[in-house]
Amino acid sequence: MTEQKEHSPKMKQLIELAAELEDLGHITALMGWDQQTNMPPGGAEERGLQSSAIGRIMHEKFTSDEVGKLIADLEEEVGDLDAETDEARSVKVAKRQYEKQTKVPLPLLMETIQTTTMAHEAWVEAKTKSDFTIFKPHLEKIVDLRKQYAALFEPFDHIYDPLLDDFEPGMKTAEVKEIFNKLRPQQVELIQAIAEKEPPDDTFLKQHYDEERQEIIGRYVITRFGYNWKRGRLDVAPHPFTTSFGQGDVRITTRYLDDDAGSALFSTMHEAGHAMYEQGVPKKYRRHPLSGSASLAIHESQSRLWENLVGRSKEFWSFLYPSIQMLFPQYLSETSMDEFYRGINKVKPSFIRVEADEATYNMHIMLRLEIEIGLMEGAIDVADLPEIWNTKMEEYLGITPPNDALGVLQDVHWSGGMIGYFPTYALGNLASVQLWDKMLESNPNVPDEIAQGKFDTVLGWMRENVHRYGSKFEPQEIMLKATGSKITPEPYIKYLKDKYSEIYNL
Amino acid sequence: MTEQKEHSPKMKQLIELAAELEDLGHITALMGWDQQTNMPPGGAEERGLQSSAIGRIMHEKFTSDEVGKLIADLEEEVGDLDAETDEARSVKVAKRQYEKQTKVPLPLLMETIQTTTMAHEAWVEAKTKSDFTIFKPHLEKIVDLRKQYAALFEPFDHIYDPLLDDFEPGMKTAEVKEIFNKLRPQQVELIQAIAEKEPPDDTFLKQHYDEERQEIIGRYVITRFGYNWKRGRLDVAPHPFTTSFGQGDVRITTRYLDDDAGSALFSTMHEAGHAMYEQGVPKKYRRHPLSGSASLAIHESQSRLWENLVGRSKEFWSFLYPSIQMLFPQYLSETSMDEFYRGINKVKPSFIRVEADEATYNMHIMLRLEIEIGLMEGAIDVADLPEIWNTKMEEYLGITPPNDALGVLQDVHWSGGMIGYFPTYALGNLASVQLWDKMLESNPNVPDEIAQGKFDTVLGWMRENVHRYGSKFEPQEIMLKATGSKITPEPYIKYLKDKYSEIYNL
């Protein structure tokens, strides 16, 4: 109970402010969740205004001179404390956010919120009709607004840095480029080696699997993983996502495809990985400056770990496959566990990022990063995006999208102004294997446990080494603490090579 | 387009303020809807804090001295205008709300929000376990807070007046008592006369009707009524309700009972009546001081009109019954339309208000009003409520609830601090018949239209005579304008007598 020590009056003030902002942030999250799961079309306009209202209130509350003074006073107050105490870190995190937010003029913030609300509706329509011209003017405005935003943070090493830093605190564009430059050739080499081999059969997945039974399996699996239903729920949305309205209410969504049985199950495992992270942050960080997660890459390390390291492993399927086979005898009675395992791990360059296999996924990210950097540097025009997209797809994956819905329009992110977000997906992949390897060092029994349907060692290790820090540390700090190394591509490359060498006889 | 004239700068300010408050109010409504339809139990605590946060922000925004000054300035500005212009009424409505809200100290408001959030959870548990003692301390606190609230409005004619006025602007306790005193003896007499007759058979309703088919019918019926699905949706919740997040998103809920086929359908028609009112307010009152509805009684007049005057009429069933019979042949193939009509209009004193028939419904309300007045006057102790409830049930309806879940714990209202709300249900019943009669005067063909499944004359008349005013007029003003009379019990009594004389051969 040493955690429960009395805070100074100013520290209490900071915590109260964080609590208020967290309440408002969670309200915004609820509005977003509802928009994607339930809202009728008529609600869009006022929902945008409602989001703006909360955005403005949060901005005003946080960027006042009093808050600046409070943080300055607190910096002095915690100056003598160990830099790793919660108090010192709370002040550091608050200062970082305050300095970022006070740089942003309210009109720019309001214009960004309103632009992205409208852009989202335009993107939905553009994607439905596969017509980039509908989305183009909105994206042009968003790119312009993002440039204005980045300019507020001059001087910077790179114009992309301020955007990346919003999602990956402390990370630099140069750092990401260096990691990706190491990763790219090895990943391309692997994909080429695989392409020369006979692909496994996966036609058994491309059938009409009953949706209700798919849902039963999804719920069963994540319950065993440790997802807490008293503090969450699962719904259907066009794009799977996780959202939190507080540690007591962390929801996930999935969607059931008519012609791909793997999609819903793997996305459910993925989102449950995100959600278990949010559910696993200690209660002391609830409504607190150190609430939430370290970064999107760390978040993605958790989702990819459950989806891939666990969910696409041989051990996992030796546990689960008999149940699946029982529920879908019409498709699986003739398929052995080994054939099934190879099928779900089939490598095939494809158009859609979220459906990509582990070997090709990062290529989708590198393509997006290059485009985003080009847009921000001014080297790429929005108008040329469809062509550039398709050229890069051909170059990296050897395929050309037949339309923009399967190409440049596939992702929601840019419509929400989220430029700088994509690299965190690839960084999360790398981090997931680093964490996994480290966990295995001290827990070599985990694969056997998984084969028996036991997942508590995995979740417990993540709780202890990742979740328990909330947002106290920057992502690279967490990786150093947990694994002894910053994010690095080698373990991921080794993991992919080992896995696919066995499956493809490389 | 004379409506589009330019407003004065101060009037613009008032409208902007109203818009902001409306956004925040709709956000609160979303949190409430989600709590009742989707929220996992773990979300309750933080949801309460989130609601408080918005409550505080709204209170602070609205009760500032600047707003007081703005309203005072505007009063002068509109002094020369016709009192029925939107401008003059906007100022009047804003002044009324400002004067009420500035009287309430923020700590009392915060304590009320927090108390009722906890009380709601306690009520759910108490009702589930049928144990009043779980809810008792919460209700005691609520009654105490409501007394403190009422005391802020001294001097008053009656301590219940300030509570009633929150739901029924301008209405006095004495007025309601007078109406109810006329209503009570006639309604009791009718119930007694009916009790002496042979009741119609309604066993065909008390069967297991397939839920999916029930939903199909509900959706079909309210679509024909004119409920706009692009601006709404239907979900399942333990207690049927309507909620609005703006004119573009007015949602309803229902619940499907396993042993009563009428429940879901009639509650769906009822809630659609509420929702069509909200959907029918003119767009010029969106995010405006005159947005929303006149009062809860006027709201209830719309819901009861669609549920009862339309939905329990012979004409309506001559239109709908063949479809119902086709969907449920196993229960209805031997039941004639006339038997069905008599069955759904069976009068039987029962424990649960929301399931009560038209003849007994108002007795449930009078019982509650007497208890509420007793609580506020201090003549009744919360501890004695279960006994008092049961005694009054025996006195009014000749039945005694076997447990408190079927008695004093059945309604959600008190847990939310909503004392003063119940009388609006009975007032709405009375108003529904007054409006109906007036509509028939100029549209004698409506019963024939209903028999053909046409409802646009009814909806059109309500749009024109009720919906189009938003909250511009007080409830009694609307009734005067629409019908030439304030709310009065005679038309309702006549309606009941005519209807049941035919069904029961009185």
Side-chain angles (χ1 to χ4, degrees), chain B residues 81-89 469 472-473 477 481:
Chain B
L81 293 179
D82 179 340
E84 295 218 347
T85 56
D86 279 2
E87 289 78 4
R89 283 289 172 157
Y469 297 124
K472 184 171 178 175
F473 297 114
E477 289 178 305
K481 276 177 194 289

Side-chain angles (χ1 to χ4, degrees), chain A residues 26-27 33-34 38-40 42-43 45-46 49-50 54 230 232-233 245-249 251 286-287, chain B residues 26-27 31 33-34 38-40 42-43 45-46 49-50 54 230 232-233 245-249 251 286-287:
Chain A
H26 286 148
I27 290 169
W33 174 85
D34 181 74
N38 291 307
M39 195 181 74
E45 195 181 342
E46 277 170 287
L49 294 162
Q50 292 154 6
I54 300 292
K230 288 195 180 149
R233 51 179 284 137
F245 316 141
Q247 291 176 0
D249 191 355
R251 303 187 190 179
R286 173 178 157 270
R287 306 177 78 244
Chain B
H26 285 149
I27 290 168
M31 287 192 275
W33 174 83
D34 181 74
N38 291 308
M39 194 182 75
E45 195 181 342
E46 275 168 292
L49 294 162
Q50 291 155 7
I54 299 293
K230 288 194 181 149
R233 53 180 283 136
F245 317 140
Q247 291 175 1
D249 191 355
R251 304 186 188 178
R286 172 179 159 272
R287 304 178 78 245

